[in-house]
Amino acid sequence: MIQLDKTYKWFVSPLAILLLWELSVYFNLVSEVFFPAPSEVILRIKFLITKDFGFLLHILDSLKRLAIGSLLAIPLAILLAISVEFNRVLAFIARPVIAIIYPLPKLAIFPLLIIILGSGELAQIGIIFIGVFFLQFIETNQGVRDLIKTDYLDVARVYRLSFWDRYFHVIFRGTLNHTLTGLKLGLGYGLVMVVAGEFAFSQKGLGFFMWNAWDQFRVIDLYCGLFIFAIMGIFIFYLVDKIRDNLPSV
Amino acid sequence: MENSILKVKNLNLSFNKLEVIKDLSLDIGKGEFVTILGPSGVGKTVLLKLLTKILLPNSGEITFTPQEKNNLNVSMAFQKSNLFNWLSVYENLKISMSHSNMNEIEKRKKIESFLEFSRMINFSNSFPSELSGGMAQKINLIRAFLQESETVLMDEPLSSIDTIQKMELQDFILKLWEKQKKTIIYVTHDIEEAIYMSDRILLLPFVKQQKQRIKEIVIPFNRPRKRIKMLTESKYVESYKFILDFLKSELEVEFQ
Ligand SMILES: Nc1ncnc2c1ncn2[C@@H]1O[C@H](COP(=O)(O)OP(=O)(O)OP(=O)(O)O)[C@@H](O)[C@H]1O
Ligand SMILES: [Mg+2]
């Protein structure tokens, strides 16, 4: 089960930074125009959420896109990362394609995606998918390659493990550590893609909200967006690390 | 050999230009405890891997009688323990019975009886990283013996275990062997261990020009064997010297 006792460790240093920041503003060490006090930002977030239903919808829109994009990308990436190591035809097709697409700056693909998928929701989810997919693929694939170098697959063979036992209990579970790192990296990059997509071609989402705030020079609202993203980010890291902590050491 | 369970005929295997197994023949009887002994790098592990079909030979025949379908003839305890670190002891054993026709309850019973027998039942839910080296090796051995296959291969299972635990585990292996009536093909570096455990020792030499001729030595002690008593007998010293001479000539070293 997930332990909560050491959870506080996640909040000490962020809170300390916020406190320093708060004091710096209080003692006029930094300009309040560019660096509004965290307490102000938090009050503003509270105001936006309670008074203006729209802000909450923006958050939910972003989360929804991240969720859909990731839920499509992650299982597919894991599946492919495992399969290419055991299927020559698939390896022959997929490996070069992935090697070619991976180094492309994903944002450079975005305009093309919009032409192909239209400027609606599909392109937004598509760019998140691409962002998450590659990192997840690369990490899990590395795990599988490391596993192949051990004798584990020989053991699986000598004991004639069934298809499910071999692929799930040995290969998938044996590479879970890598897969979780991939999840962290992938979802983190997914957040980047959420904002990028919403900056440019969307009328909703947290990215759009921030773009708007920038356009109208509402600096504090930019911080509101950043805070929410920071919370999402820390939540992803926290959750993945908690899952990892509760796995047997490999 | 009458009552033969495994015949190997004219087996050959090379890795690129390195001939590891050359024109090798073997005959193992049902229920025998046979040890393969030879210097490091002669191909003991390779030979076992050929028997399990993890490796395929360039030529030659490996025949088990009776021939089981789906390669059900052998199980193997590997050189390193190779328990799946992310599975508990129980899960490790259960997954090794993946192919068995037993239902879940029968499997559980069989696993638990083995764990009871080896006094490891309290570690059923532990993970391999929580076990000592000796305990992990015990589970590794149980895993090999749990199988329905008649022949069990063991690749230096006790090479990294301290002396006292090693003796305990040697007796553990012998007890399982007698109880289960399996055929064991055992690999070790340890001359004393080989003599104490085996019916027969096969001395595997490096491939030189000609074919790989195995020297063989039959161990003349009745079972159950008494460790200390055995060490003092002249038959023991003779066997020991025979093996040592073989190793000396293979490695071309001199010592007293
Ligand atoms: N997969 C492989 N590819 C190439 N060469 C190999 C491979 N496996 C083994 N060899 C070589 O075959 C020879 C025999 O190796 P093997 O592992 O069987 O030795 P061994 O008798 O088990 O030694 P040890 O007692 O140290 O375990 C060695 O020279 C080794 O380098
Ligand atoms: Mg070896």
Side-chain angles (χ1 to χ4, degrees):
Chain A
M1 268 318 295
I2 288 179
Q3 300 173 346
L4 292 170
D5 51 344
K6 285 181 184 151
T7 303
Y8 74 92
K9 288 188 177 166
W10 282 79
F11 300 105
V12 177
S13 74
L15 287 178
I17 292 169
L18 289 182
L19 188 69
L20 267 180
W21 178 355
E22 183 80 36
L23 291 174
S24 309
V25 178
Y26 185 81
F27 290 111
N28 283 322
L29 298 174
V30 294
S31 154
E32 207 179 346
V33 179
F34 300 121
F35 300 98
S39 57
E40 292 294 324
V41 176
I42 288 161
L43 283 175
R44 174 74 180 162
I45 290 174
K46 193 173 158 232
F47 169 81
L48 284 173
I49 287 175
T50 48
K51 288 280 147 69
D52 185 356
F53 213 47
F55 185 65
L56 203 60
L57 285 181
H58 284 312
I59 295 176
L60 289 177
D61 272 317
S62 293
L63 277 178
K64 190 183 78 192
R65 285 168 176 158
L66 180 66
I68 295 175
S70 310
L71 282 175
L72 292 172
I74 290 164
L76 196 74
I78 294 174
L79 213 62
L80 200 64
I82 294 175
S83 323
V84 291
E85 294 305 320
F86 299 100
N87 185 317
R88 276 187 209 167
V89 180
L90 203 59
F92 183 75
I93 299 168
R95 242 182 222 307
V97 174
I98 286 168
I100 290 166
I101 300 179
Y102 173 68
L104 299 179
K106 305 299 171 295
L107 282 178
I109 306 174
F110 195 44
L112 192 65
L113 267 188
I114 287 179
I115 291 174
I116 297 168
L117 299 175
S119 61
E121 206 61 15
L122 222 49
Q124 299 286 337
I125 290 170
I127 194 71
I128 296 169
F129 177 94
I130 291 174
V132 176
F133 178 87
F134 285 93
L135 291 173
Q136 184 68 68
F137 175 88
I138 287 168
E139 265 301 323
T140 300
N141 187 251
Q142 189 57 50
V144 177
R145 284 163 158 242
D146 289 351
L147 191 82
I148 287 174
K149 285 193 206 118
T150 68
D151 281 346
Y152 281 133
L153 294 180
D154 284 345
V155 175
R157 222 163 132 194
V158 167
Y159 291 108
R160 298 171 292 276
L161 263 54
S162 64
F163 185 86
W164 171 255
D165 282 346
R166 181 181 151 92
Y167 282 96
F168 182 75
H169 289 297
V170 175
I171 296 168
F172 176 73
R173 287 179 70 180
T175 52
L176 205 50
N177 229 331
H178 278 273
T179 293
L180 288 176
T181 305
L183 198 61
K184 234 174 169 176
L185 296 174
L187 288 176
Y189 199 52
L191 280 178
V192 175
M193 290 308 179
V194 169
V195 190
E198 291 172 350
F199 270 0
F201 286 95
S202 181
Q203 297 305 311
K204 49 191 189 172
L206 211 47
F208 166 74
F209 172 86
M210 290 176 73
W211 188 260
N212 234 3
W214 171 79
D215 202 31
Q216 297 162 12
F217 205 71
R218 282 183 276 116
V219 174
I220 191 159
D221 283 2
L222 283 173
Y223 279 98
C224 289
L226 282 180
F227 270 41
I228 299 291
F229 275 120
I231 291 168
M232 291 181 189
I234 202 169
F235 183 70
I236 290 169
F237 269 52
Y238 171 79
L239 202 69
V240 175
D241 280 1
K242 277 294 151 189
I243 295 172
R244 195 196 302 270
D245 287 350
N246 286 279
L247 291 176
S249 64
V250 172
Chain B
M1 180 175 300
E2 56 180 301
N3 221 354
S4 165
I5 196 170
L6 164 65
K7 275 196 169 68
V8 173
K9 259 199 208 139
N10 310 110
L11 203 62
N12 286 285
L13 180 73
S14 315
F15 294 111
N16 300 319
K17 289 218 170 84
L18 177 72
E19 290 181 303
V20 179
I21 302 291
K22 189 172 181 187
D23 205 11
L24 183 95
S25 298
L26 285 181
D27 195 353
I28 310 282
K30 188 167 158 47
E32 261 197 305
F33 196 122
V34 176
T35 292
I36 297 170
L37 196 149
S40 193
V42 277
K44 303 182 295 294
T45 299
V46 165
L47 179 58
L48 293 191
K49 285 188 174 172
L50 283 165
L51 298 180
T52 59
K53 301 194 170 73
I54 291 173
L55 286 174
L56 295 176
N58 300 124
S59 65
E61 274 174 42
I62 296 171
T63 327
F64 286 93
T65 2
Q67 186 78 48
E68 301 275 354
K69 51 184 183 316
N70 312 328
N71 186 26
L72 282 171
N73 288 294
V74 288
S75 67
M76 173 157 164
F78 286 76
Q79 193 157 357
K80 280 173 259 139
S81 97
N82 280 325
L83 295 173
F84 299 115
N85 285 329
W86 51 93
L87 302 183
S88 70
V89 164
Y90 182 81
E91 288 175 301
N92 260 289
L93 296 175
K94 186 168 163 241
I95 207 175
S96 79
M97 300 174 80
S98 174
H99 64 280
S100 159
N101 292 327
M102 290 183 181
N103 63 37
E104 294 299 302
I105 300 164
E106 289 169 324
K107 280 184 192 172
R108 174 170 281 274
K109 265 196 176 154
K110 186 165 182 186
I111 292 170
E112 283 176 353
S113 79
F114 269 81
L115 288 173
E116 295 276 5
F117 176 78
S118 51
R119 289 180 281 125
M120 289 290 293
I121 191 77
N122 292 333
F123 295 93
S124 186
N125 295 319
S126 304
F127 286 90
S129 59
E130 297 161 354
L131 304 178
S132 74
M135 292 196 286
Q137 204 46 265
K138 221 170 186 176
I139 301 303
N140 188 32
L141 293 167
I142 291 174
R143 182 169 69 174
F145 274 105
L146 260 181
Q147 310 304 313
E148 282 151 34
S149 56
E150 282 201 54
T151 308
V152 181
L153 312 180
M154 297 192 189
D155 194 359
E156 303 191 41
L158 309 184
S159 57
S160 55
I161 311 274
D162 74 72
T163 316
I164 296 299
Q165 249 189 12
K166 195 174 186 170
M167 293 182 181
E168 186 206 333
L169 285 173
Q170 286 167 351
D171 289 336
F172 178 69
I173 293 171
L174 289 174
K175 265 198 292 186
L176 279 174
W177 169 59
E178 276 156 16
K179 191 164 168 257
Q180 303 273 311
K181 311 237 180 313
K182 303 260 187 193
T183 306
I184 292 189
I185 302 177
Y186 195 84
V187 166
T188 182
H189 275 122
D190 183 333
I191 303 178
E192 183 186 319
E193 173 173 86
I195 300 175
Y196 178 65
M197 308 277 281
S198 332
D199 295 325
R200 226 167 18 120
I201 300 173
L202 307 178
L203 301 173
L204 189 66
F206 285 110
V207 172
K208 284 152 198 160
Q209 272 80 38
Q210 74 291 47
K211 72 177 196 175
Q212 208 170 7
R213 271 192 60 109
I214 286 182
K215 282 190 186 168
E216 140 171 357
I217 161 169
V218 176
I219 304 302
F221 297 111
N222 296 326
R223 297 180 193 269
R225 293 174 181 170
K226 297 264 183 297
R227 209 180 278 276
I228 302 297
K229 187 162 169 290
M230 180 190 83
L231 293 179
T232 59
E233 292 199 29
S234 61
K235 283 185 288 184
Y236 173 80
V237 180
E238 277 163 30
S239 307
Y240 198 101
K241 187 169 177 312
F242 185 83
I243 296 169
L244 204 56
D245 284 343
F246 162 77
L247 289 175
K248 268 164 134 175
S249 69
E250 279 301 313
L251 296 169
E252 296 172 339
V253 290
E254 285 299 326
F255 44 77
Q256 297 296 303

